[in-house]
Amino acid sequence: EFLEWSQANLTKELSQASDVFLTLGISSTIAAIFKHGSRMSLLAIAPLAWQVIETLEFLPESKSNSLIRKLRCKLLCRVGLVNLRPRLALWRYDLGSRSIDSALKAKQAE
């Protein structure tokens, strides 16, 4: 619902005088949703967020306001990362089975 509301307000701003603070609030809220949300739930709303990003590009204040451009770029990156396939890093830490006792015994045996 929020993405549909924001899309409607942003397209209304294209035809009328726009409110910069509303635009900043919408884009920062969507960026926060894509930061803290789970990937599976965000995949369903990614196309709607993409429409909001496209609308942000054509707003007249996006050319002059660097904060709107920054939030648009941030949102674009986060939507793109949601759409990418997850993969596990090979360099991640693997705990395994370690204990202090076995490490001390191996050191004393040397």
Side-chain angles (χ1 to χ4, degrees):
E1 286 183 36
F2 176 72
L3 286 174
E4 294 167 357
W5 174 84
S6 61
Q7 177 69 21
N9 278 335
L10 289 175
T11 53
K12 183 178 15 172
E13 287 183 16
L14 280 173
S15 60
Q16 299 174 355
S18 60
D19 184 13
V20 176
F21 297 110
L22 181 64
T23 305
L24 289 173
I26 288 172
S27 52
S28 63
T29 304
I30 297 172
I33 289 170
F34 272 84
K35 180 178 182 180
H36 297 291
S38 67
R39 182 180 178 274
M40 294 307 292
S41 62
L42 292 175
L43 277 173
I45 62 170
L48 291 172
W50 188 258
Q51 291 175 355
V52 172
I53 293 170
E54 288 177 341
T55 306
L56 283 172
E57 182 179 1
F58 297 114
L59 288 176
E61 68 265 5
S62 67
K63 307 278 189 269
S64 61
N65 195 332
S66 62
L67 190 56
I68 292 176
R69 287 194 310 261
K70 175 191 160 204
L71 288 170
R72 184 177 155 264
C73 182
K74 183 184 285 191
L75 185 58
L76 179 69
C77 292
R78 289 183 180 167
V79 171
L81 286 174
V82 164
N83 286 316
L84 285 178
R85 178 177 52 100
R87 66 173 220 211
L88 297 174
L90 297 176
W91 49 265
R92 71 175 188 209
Y93 182 72
D94 187 21
L95 183 60
S97 60
R98 297 187 181 101
S99 70
I100 296 175
D101 189 39
S102 63
L104 290 175
K105 287 180 183 177
K107 195 169 190 175
Q108 287 176 355
E110 291 177 0

